Amino acid sequence: MIATTMIHLLFGPQGAGKSTLARQLADQRQGVRFSIDDWMGELFAPDMPQPMNLPWILARVQRCEQRIWAVATDVVRRGGTAVLDVGCMQVADRARYAALASAQGLALRPHFVTAPLAVRRQRVLQRNQTRGDTFAFEVTPGMFTTMEGHFEPPDAAELAGCAVTETA
C-alpha cells in the first residue's frame, strides 16, 4: 500500500451531501476531486433522452468512471490524493473500486454519506433552483425516484470499514 497517498471513495444516495463533502476533503488534503455529476453534466446531459432512460445513463456513467479511475490512480501514483464523488449506488460498484485499489496497491478509504429521505429530496429540489456550486444538471423528481430505487445501502460489514457522515 502507498502510505502517504489515498483515494477517498464517497458513496451514498442522491442529495446526501457527497459533493459537498468531496469538496471539503479535496480542500483539506489538497487533493483532486472527481465528481461523476460534473462529467455526466458536461459530456452527456445535453443529449439525455426524455423520458429518462436508465440503461442509457448507466452506460455513460460506466465510461466516465473508467476514465475517472485512470486519471485518479495516476494522481495517487504521483503522490497526490484523489477524492472520488462517483455515487457508487450499488454494493458491487463499491466492491469493484476496493478490488481495483487493492490489485494496484493503492490505499482506498470509503466514505458513506447519508441523510433522511425528506432532507435529500429537498436538497435536490433546492439545488435545481439555485444552481450553486454542486449543481451539474437538473435532477427531476422522476430521476430522483428512479435513482432512489437504484441505491443499495451498505450493510453492517461494509459500514465497519467506512467513514460515515450523516448530514441534516
Side-chain angles (χ1 to χ4, degrees):
M1 291 288 217
I2 298 172
T4 59
T5 60
M6 170 93 46
I7 296 173
H8 294 271
L9 178 67
L10 282 68
F11 72 96
Q14 279 196 25
K18 296 180 301 294
S19 295
T20 299
L21 180 60
R23 288 171 185 274
Q24 292 169 353
L25 288 171
D27 287 347
Q28 291 167 357
R29 291 160 173 81
Q30 297 180 340
V32 179
R33 181 182 56 86
F34 297 90
S35 173
I36 191 69
D37 288 351
D38 292 345
W39 287 56
M40 288 294 293
E42 284 189 37
L43 296 173
F44 301 115
D47 306 317
M48 191 177 301
Q50 296 299 325
M52 188 179 88
N53 179 314
L54 190 58
W56 184 93
I57 291 170
L58 293 178
R60 282 145 186 87
V61 165
Q62 185 178 36
R63 283 188 232 160
C64 286
E65 286 178 347
Q66 289 171 344
R67 179 80 329 238
I68 286 169
W69 180 257
V71 178
T73 57
D74 190 44
V75 165
V76 171
R77 284 193 183 98
R78 294 171 186 275
T81 296
V83 180
L84 304 185
D85 174 17
V86 294
C88 285
M89 300 291 284
Q90 300 191 313
V91 173
D93 298 329
R94 301 183 300 261
R96 179 173 38 89
Y97 277 106
L100 284 168
S102 178
Q104 295 177 31
L106 302 171
L108 183 130
R109 175 72 168 152
H111 296 259
F112 175 51
V113 186
T114 188
L117 175 62
V119 170
R120 295 186 290 105
R121 187 182 316 270
Q122 182 57 38
R123 281 184 187 154
V124 169
L125 292 173
Q126 184 67 33
R127 184 173 57 204
N128 286 343
Q129 290 178 346
T130 61
R131 299 179 184 249
D133 289 345
T134 61
F135 179 84
F137 55 88
E138 184 173 350
V139 176
T140 66
M143 289 169 67
F144 183 90
T145 300
T146 297
M147 296 312 291
E148 187 68 20
H150 191 67
F151 180 70
E152 293 178 359
D155 62 16
E158 187 177 12
L159 281 174
C162 292
V164 178
T165 301
E166 184 159 355
T167 62

